[in-house]
Amino acid sequence: MFYLKKDFQFQENQEGLVIGLFERSGKLEGTLAELDHEFNGYIHELIKNGEISVKEKNISKIHTLGKIGTKTIWFVGLGKEKNLTFEKLRDSFGRLFKEIHHKHWEIAFLLDSFTNEKMDTLDAAHAMSEAYALATYHFQGYKQKQNEPEKSLSELTIYTDYCDQEELEASITVGYAFGKGTNSARNLVNIPGNLLTAEEMANYAIDLAAKYDFEVEILEKDEIESLGMGAFLAVNQGSTEPPRMIVLKYQGKELWEDVIGLVGKGITFDTGGYSIKTKSGIVGMKTDMGGAAAVLGAMEIIGELKPEQNVVAVIPSTDNMISGSAFKPDDVITSMSGKTIEVLNTDAEGRLVLADAVTYAKHHGANYLVDVATLTGGVITALGLHTTGAMTNNECLYEQVLEASFEAGEPIWQLPLFEKDKERVRSSKIADLNNSPGREGHAIVAGAFIGEFAEETPWVHLDIAGTATASKDYDLGPAGATGVMTRTLALFVERFEPLEK
Ligand code: BES
Ligand code: ZN
Ligand code: ZN
């Protein structure tokens, strides 16, 4: 799929060629100057009059009309050299791939034309392969008649003078693995709730474990009962679909120490239960397992890249349904930790299943915890649809997650966690905790609730209710599931440094 070559020649017979174009004053240099020469100065003219655009993320195309071997040249505008960041470069590649991916079978890249002082060919290779996987993603769906595209880009030849071929190949592999893992998460989120049940999600995890040699443990209902996971079970109580607690273990260090616990909310459909959602609010709730999908996507990347880290992934999976046996507001339930919970709102189910999952992750030796969940509409009110809400009990761990999110291009923003917020979660008159102390700042109290179960273990909470899906197409993907936090989690794990004790 990716081929590396040196010494580019314009006379080679090629369907298409891609060149990065910075906004520079003065004469054209290098390959561009050669190209301009072949076209008797015409390229320079087109750049000057803006028909070939140098502006950031602008894509321009010229036909060479037999002047050279290459039939079509695509220019990717990169703006001013000093302003180009890795994120902008990845987005630009994304935009290019969206434009060309049904126009060519194969294409060649002049990769060195995409580099600046801060970003070398290895970065460009990573950005390119990641964007290729992400931007060409498409959810197959269930239509009887599929619209088969005429062409699909599947061969990318990369011309570069970079000397270390192995390093280059590694960068391409890493970028592609990040993109692919994200696409797997997107697939899981896009599958409807009748087809992706807790049992199916467990089967998916079993297949992943077999592929990457992870240890796998799937708890069925009777085992969940014997472990006393009363909070998780309460959410499942109204369903005819049995729950699953899914555990995957990846051991990249000799000893099972400094274990990172990744915990993902895996509600396959959220009706709200007796605190039922409105008829418009309920549509789309198949995506309430976006946290689980991010964790599974990250585990795929971890399986591919095998970092020297220890990871336990824990996913509580069930739907949240209504029936004669469903849990109700006012019920009091007992979590695995022993903490009792007064249920005030059955639609605040995510924190209940996560409570037991966090306890279980610690049981499996997790020394650090990151939970990911489509937890609250409140985070959308607070931060909108582009930013994931974060909370923590440990700023140093948070710094590491923040850095990973920045590099992954998945922005997060921290919400506060004060004593007064904790007090609200602890304000039940008849139980240790209550699951819904009111709508004010409810993204914060939802996080605070999970924090009660993390206790002293360093923990970061990521609320992706606003970011797990996109309503419109964007540079790196189509409308629908985004796979958000897959890459952040994987990068976080790869770079993770244990905190000083
Ligand atoms: N799954 C929802 C949160 C959600 C909302 C996800 C919108 C994706 C898009 C969650 O279980 C929920 O219903 N939260 C309630 C909590 C409330 C009852 C305290 C909410 O945010 O309204
Ligand atoms: Zn809910
Ligand atoms: Zn939910």
Side-chain angles (χ1 to χ4, degrees):
M1 179 166 21
F2 297 99
Y3 302 91
L4 292 175
K5 281 196 180 165
K6 279 191 176 12
D7 303 323
F8 175 75
Q9 302 290 331
F10 281 116
Q11 298 314 332
E12 279 180 41
N13 237 339
Q14 253 148 6
E15 223 189 289
L17 176 69
V18 183
I19 305 179
L21 201 57
F22 283 106
E23 192 177 329
R24 283 182 182 128
S25 49
K27 279 195 189 157
L28 297 178
E29 288 170 16
T31 318
L32 273 174
E34 282 171 43
L35 183 68
D36 195 40
H37 179 75
E38 300 275 348
F39 281 82
N40 307 327
Y42 201 54
I43 300 292
H44 197 202
E45 277 303 306
L46 289 175
I47 293 175
K48 253 189 6 207
N49 70 26
E51 278 184 74
I52 295 176
S53 173
V54 295
K55 300 265 174 270
E56 270 176 16
K57 294 195 195 175
N58 277 12
I59 312 293
S60 323
K61 171 173 98 164
I62 61 164
H63 292 289
T64 62
L65 305 174
K67 268 246 177 237
I68 56 174
T70 307
K71 288 200 187 80
T72 312
I73 302 181
W74 297 87
F75 293 92
V76 179
L78 298 171
K80 293 209 165 57
E81 203 164 334
K82 64 174 183 0
N83 294 342
L84 184 69
T85 60
F86 183 78
E87 193 178 350
K88 280 188 199 167
L89 182 59
R90 183 171 43 200
D91 283 354
S92 306
F93 277 129
R95 207 174 268 197
L96 169 84
F97 284 123
K98 285 199 137 180
E99 174 84 34
I100 66 176
H101 125 256
H102 291 313
K103 296 199 174 108
H104 297 278
W105 289 109
E106 50 180 347
I107 197 124
F109 279 81
L110 296 188
L111 197 59
D112 300 330
S113 65
F114 290 88
T115 59
N116 68 3
E117 254 180 28
K118 286 173 284 176
M119 235 162 349
D120 62 10
T121 307
L122 295 180
D123 295 321
H126 178 140
M128 198 255 319
S129 58
E130 187 171 313
Y132 170 62
L134 289 172
T136 60
Y137 170 77
H138 160 74
F139 182 63
Q140 187 100 45
Y142 308 93
K143 286 183 192 291
Q144 288 190 74
K145 241 197 186 151
Q146 299 280 346
N147 278 341
E148 286 300 327
E150 245 178 66
K151 294 181 181 176
S152 264
L153 182 62
S154 57
E155 221 174 86
L156 290 88
T157 306
I158 293 146
Y159 285 93
T160 170
D161 292 336
Y162 195 83
C163 44
D164 193 329
Q165 175 123 354
E166 248 175 58
E167 269 186 349
L168 255 175
E169 275 169 8
S171 276
I172 292 171
T173 305
V174 170
Y176 194 61
F178 272 76
K180 280 296 204 194
T182 307
N183 290 345
S184 299
R186 289 169 168 178
N187 274 336
L188 288 168
V189 175
N190 283 328
I191 300 174
N194 62 326
L195 302 180
L196 189 77
T197 58
E199 197 179 353
E200 281 308 317
M201 184 135 47
N203 288 340
Y204 181 90
I206 290 168
D207 291 347
L208 201 67
K211 181 161 183 201
Y212 295 113
D213 213 12
F214 299 144
E215 205 179 295
V216 58
E217 178 189 56
I218 308 289
L219 299 182
E220 300 199 358
K221 192 169 176 180
D222 50 344
E223 293 158 293
I224 296 169
E225 278 166 354
S226 10
L227 284 163
M229 296 182 178
F232 180 27
L233 282 167
V235 176
N236 177 258
Q237 215 171 286
S239 180
T240 49
E241 287 291 337
R244 292 285 184 271
M245 183 66 87
I246 300 165
V247 182
L248 292 174
K249 271 189 189 177
Y250 165 78
Q251 185 163 354
K253 296 185 184 202
E254 220 156 281
L255 299 175
W256 189 244
E257 58 187 13
D258 296 324
V259 180
I260 304 168
L262 302 180
V263 181
K265 172 176 173 182
I267 299 292
T268 56
F269 193 83
D270 183 12
T271 67
Y274 275 98
S275 314
I276 193 167
K277 291 187 179 293
T278 61
K279 64 174 175 281
S280 61
I282 205 166
V283 176
M285 279 303 140
K286 67 171 183 180
T287 65
D288 212 15
M289 32 58 69
V295 169
L296 289 168
M299 288 306 284
E300 179 179 327
I301 300 172
I302 289 165
E304 285 286 333
L305 305 180
K306 308 217 177 305
E308 270 178 45
Q309 305 286 0
N310 292 332
V311 184
V312 58
V314 180
I315 293 167
S317 186
T318 173
D319 45 11
N320 182 21
M321 303 296 283
I322 297 177
S323 76
S325 62
F327 78 139
K328 313 172 290 299
D330 288 351
D331 284 358
V332 172
I333 56 185
T334 304
S335 65
M336 185 188 182
S337 70
K339 288 186 183 13
T340 56
I341 304 161
E342 182 182 14
V343 176
L344 295 180
N345 192 320
T346 59
D347 198 11
E349 85 298 339
R351 67 201 76 180
L352 298 176
V353 302
L354 289 168
D356 283 338
V358 160
T359 304
Y360 200 49
K362 290 200 288 189
H363 230 76
H364 272 286
N367 309 103
Y368 304 93
L369 291 163
V370 181
D371 81 79
V372 192
T374 47
L375 203 65
T376 65
V379 82
I380 304 175
T381 311
L383 298 176
L385 298 170
H386 302 291
T387 309
T388 293
M391 288 172 64
T392 189
N393 62 5
N394 186 302
E395 292 300 325
C396 296
L397 186 68
Y398 178 70
E399 278 299 315
Q400 295 196 33
V401 176
L402 180 66
E403 231 168 81
S405 79
F406 184 75
E407 223 177 291
E410 299 180 323
I412 69 177
W413 194 259
Q414 194 178 354
L415 301 171
L417 174 50
F418 291 118
E419 276 312 306
K420 287 255 185 290
D421 304 311
K422 297 180 190 169
E423 279 168 23
R424 286 177 67 201
V425 171
R426 296 172 187 155
S427 65
S428 168
K429 291 213 163 50
I430 60 168
D432 298 325
L433 304 171
N434 79 73
N435 84 328
S436 184
R439 292 206 68 81
E440 302 81 9
H442 77 264
I444 293 173
V445 283
F449 185 93
I450 300 168
E452 292 294 308
F453 297 85
E455 297 174 305
E456 299 308 311
T457 307
W459 153 81
V460 173
H461 160 65
L462 299 168
D463 190 338
I464 57 169
T467 48
T469 53
S471 56
K472 294 196 298 265
D473 292 0
Y474 53 107
D475 290 341
L476 292 171
T482 58
V484 75
M485 291 301 127
T486 301
R487 288 173 294 139
T488 295
L489 290 182
L491 260 175
F492 161 72
V493 166
E494 198 184 318
R495 306 268 159 88
F496 177 70
E497 302 264 0
L499 303 177
E500 276 174 32
K501 299 209 171 91

